[in-house]
Amino acid sequence: MKIVVIGGSGLIGSKLVKLLDAQGHEAVPASPKTGVNTLTGDGVAEALAGADVVVDVSNSPSLEGDAALEFFETSTRNLLAAAADAGVGHYVALSVVGSERLADSGYMRAKVAQENLVTASGLPYSVVHATQFFEFVPGIIDAATDGDTVHLAPVLIQPMAADDVAAAVAEVVLGAPVNAVVEVAGPEQFRLDELGRNLLADQQDPRSVVADSDARYFGATLAERSLVPADGARTADTRLDEWQMATHR
């Protein structure tokens, strides 16, 4: 099966390509590094020719709302048009748990716009909602830092390892289109401020974390369950302490 991985040179995409190749599929990484530019459309039709599945795990270079919206809308429209022309039988997009609940965030509004284009396209599709990656939490901490203090809301979060995200996406890619959202999450829930303290201590980072109910998350106000999936989500195996041990090897 030929599977084109949009964003195949990135964190999740490169892992996904290796997983699919290892299972005997023809996984084609598509990104500007391989001559495929989804914003301009250059190389897209050629990459998708003969593809059975297209999976989009790309991300906007900017988290700023207007720039992210421009990226996801333009890129997704180009991909969907090329996928329809190529007769692709399954279009998979990776998005974020809680995207529809975080309308204060321009980035999350951009992700919702991407999802809406996919669901309205008429193509058989699956949208994977993943919780935050362990690898992404340092970026959350940096964005919430003021001097030596990190302001994080004490709300629930259920992060997962990037390896597990790739494995979950691979499982969806190799299955039949569900024409719906599939939620995936890590095996443990934390308070966001507690998770921040844990990771800073693990990295011997001297910054201190303050539990701040008014702290914004990339522009959004967080409720208790904004970042965690609904009941019935698929859960991964890798625990935080296991991931930390692996990163220190």
Side-chain angles (χ1 to χ4, degrees), residues 17 25 71 98 176 179:
V17 167
H25 300 285
F71 174 85
N179 296 314

Side-chain angles (χ1 to χ4, degrees), residues 121-202:
S121 68
L123 291 173
Y125 74 91
S126 302
V127 173
V128 180
H129 273 191
T131 53
Q132 291 70 23
F133 316 155
F134 292 139
E135 292 83 352
F136 184 57
V137 176
I140 297 174
I141 292 171
D142 289 344
T145 296
D146 182 9
D148 293 326
T149 304
V150 184
H151 292 260
L152 294 172
V155 299
L156 293 174
I157 187 170
Q158 196 169 337
M160 61 191 299
D163 283 339
D164 289 341
V165 176
V169 173
E171 183 178 347
V172 172
V173 164
L174 297 177
V178 297
N179 296 314
V181 171
V182 176
E183 290 196 319
V184 297
E188 305 168 285
Q189 287 189 352
F190 305 89
R191 294 287 171 181
L192 179 55
D193 60 312
E194 294 171 353
L195 178 63
R197 290 189 194 94
N198 181 307
L199 290 181
L200 289 178
D202 183 65

Side-chain angles (χ1 to χ4, degrees), residues 63-167:
L63 299 182
E64 189 275 323
D66 289 343
L69 182 64
E70 172 68 17
F71 174 85
F72 284 120
E73 286 194 330
T74 302
S75 175
T76 302
R77 286 193 177 104
N78 287 337
L79 286 170
L80 288 169
D85 288 344
V88 169
H90 191 185
Y91 190 101
V92 181
L94 176 62
S95 192
V96 187
V97 162
S99 58
E100 74 284 0
R101 299 191 291 267
L102 298 173
D104 291 348
S105 166
Y107 177 81
M108 292 300 181
R109 290 196 300 273
K111 291 299 291 181
V112 170
Q114 175 195 21
E115 294 176 37
N116 288 342
L117 287 170
V118 173
T119 59
S121 68
L123 291 173
Y125 74 91
S126 302
V127 173
V128 180
H129 273 191
T131 53
Q132 291 70 23
F133 316 155
F134 292 139
E135 292 83 352
F136 184 57
V137 176
I140 297 174
I141 292 171
D142 289 344
T145 296
D146 182 9
D148 293 326
T149 304
V150 184
H151 292 260
L152 294 172
V155 299
L156 293 174
I157 187 170
Q158 196 169 337
M160 61 191 299
D163 283 339
D164 289 341
V165 176

